[in-house]
Amino acid sequence: MSADAFNCAAVAEVHRPSSTLAPNVGDILGRIGNLETRLARTASEIDAAQAVRFRVFVEEMGAQLSPEAMLRKRDFDSYDAFCDHLLVLDRSIEGDSEDQIVGTYRLLRQDVAMKNGGFYSASEFAIDELLARHPDKRFMELGRSCVLPDYRTKRTVELLWQGNWAYALKHGMSAMFGCASFPGIHPESHALALSFLHHNVAAKDEWAVGALPHLARDMDLMPAEAVNPKRALMALPPLIKGYLRLGAMVGSTAVVDKAFNTTDVLIVLPIASISDRYLNYYGADAGRFAS
């Protein structure tokens, strides 16, 4: 699995009492071998997840965060205080749980987002317009996805999606969305892949969504007849390919994120669109890898 930044620059430190975090009992969402997925239980586990994010986003991908974030070697922002943090832990690593975190996602439900100023992706994409067309649906945002290099394997990806699926079912979510990223700030260097997404999996009609007008970058960089699908799929980041296998759609325009050194596209995944193949694999009740 590639390390894909879902959101943007750090702006504020988290101050969250550990007593407000997920309960300690019965919160294991899945296990495969020595790997386990669950929500963060303590403020120290969130801090450790932020350290993993820093290693991937800054040290590997070249993101430029705030001076405080660079000094502390943590990727953090104000959203961390009210999001849930999905973790993958390697239980074979000696030490505390903080030492065992090898992957993370940041999850934000619509009801929580609306109480705290909205979704983070709304700083890049026209999320409010999408929500307004679906007043009867409950959305969740997937953000800050990253996995340490040695753990970018099928097992880790399966556990992350087991966790996302179990979380979505538990909270009655109708659709997921979030930014997925191409490396670098020049969309033209990804013309083949971006054009493939535009011509083949663009979100349409009630699910149509684009970047905010002042940030929008064209994804229609090549005519459809010039796009070789096999080559385009090979050029897609693994995370985006994973979303497409589940049945995801992609927004109509991209955003260049200079702070994170990425070109972002918006992934939209209605729960009802998740392919039967993966519903059967993970289980309609999220029981495939449950403990």
Side-chain angles (χ1 to χ4, degrees):
M1 176 179 180
S2 68
D4 285 69
F6 266 25
N7 294 322
C8 299
V11 296
E13 186 172 1
V14 174
H15 298 284
R16 185 182 186 186
S18 60
S19 61
T20 67
L21 298 181
N24 201 343
V25 179
D27 61 348
I28 305 300
L29 299 177
R31 288 194 180 98
I32 303 177
N34 54 301
L35 299 180
E36 171 184 295
T37 187
R38 62 169 171 81
L39 297 181
R41 297 168 176 164
T42 65
S44 61
E45 287 186 346
I46 293 177
D47 180 77
Q50 292 168 336
V52 169
R53 283 158 36 181
F54 186 92
R55 288 171 62 183
V56 172
F57 299 143
V58 177
E59 295 178 358
E60 181 179 346
M61 298 175 62
Q64 292 296 316
L65 307 182
S66 69
E68 183 182 1
M70 300 298 282
L71 180 65
R72 292 184 53 227
K73 296 187 180 300
R74 299 292 187 275
D75 165 47
F76 59 82
D77 68 16
S78 59
Y79 285 76
D80 284 325
F82 49 82
C83 288
D84 285 320
H85 299 261
L86 183 68
L87 310 176
V88 173
L89 303 97
D90 182 351
R91 288 307 194 184
S92 70
I93 297 175
E94 293 187 9
D96 298 327
S97 60
E98 291 84 355
D99 304 312
Q100 299 172 336
I101 297 171
V102 299
T104 183
Y105 251 106
R106 191 168 74 177
L107 311 180
L108 178 57
R109 305 190 309 276
Q110 185 172 356
D111 56 329
V112 176
M114 295 305 105
K115 293 175 183 177
N116 292 277
F119 287 110
Y120 195 92
S121 297
S123 65
E124 291 189 346
F125 294 91
I127 301 301
D128 291 343
E129 296 177 10
L130 178 64
L131 301 182
R133 292 197 297 271
H134 299 275
D136 59 328
K137 291 183 171 63
R138 303 182 67 199
F139 287 77
M140 63 180 277
E141 182 179 57
L142 308 177
R144 287 298 202 272
S145 169
C146 66
V147 174
L148 294 179
D150 290 345
Y151 291 87
R152 290 173 194 163
T153 65
K154 181 180 178 183
R155 290 200 310 168
T156 310
V157 173
E158 287 177 344
L159 271 185
L160 284 171
W161 272 104
Q162 169 75 13
N164 286 333
W165 179 233
Y167 184 92
L169 289 182
K170 176 181 178 180
H171 293 284
M173 297 293 103
S174 308
M176 309 177 192
F177 69 87
C179 298
S181 303
F182 290 83
I185 58 174
H186 302 290
E188 298 77 12
S189 65
H190 302 288
L192 177 63
L194 291 173
S195 299
F196 172 83
L197 296 177
H198 173 82
H199 293 302
N200 293 279
V201 293
K204 294 181 172 63
D205 302 322
E206 63 175 338
W207 296 103
V209 59
L212 298 176
H214 67 287
L215 297 175
R217 300 290 293 270
D218 194 5
M219 293 170 57
D220 184 11
L221 301 174
M222 296 174 60
E225 59 272 17
V227 175
N228 181 309
K230 184 175 181 180
R231 289 183 55 219
L233 285 169
M234 292 176 61
L236 287 173
L239 182 64
I240 295 179
K241 282 192 282 192
Y243 282 133
L244 297 187
R245 292 188 192 105
L246 289 167
M249 301 172 284
V250 178
S252 60
T253 45
V255 172
V256 168
D257 182 348
K258 293 183 178 179
F260 267 84
N261 191 34
T262 58
T263 297
D264 299 340
V265 297
L266 188 72
I267 301 295
V268 181
L269 180 58
I271 298 297
S273 295
I274 297 179
S275 67
D276 290 342
R277 172 188 173 191
Y278 285 91
L279 284 179
N280 292 334
Y281 184 70
Y282 287 105
D285 62 352
R288 172 69 170 85
F289 301 113
S291 56

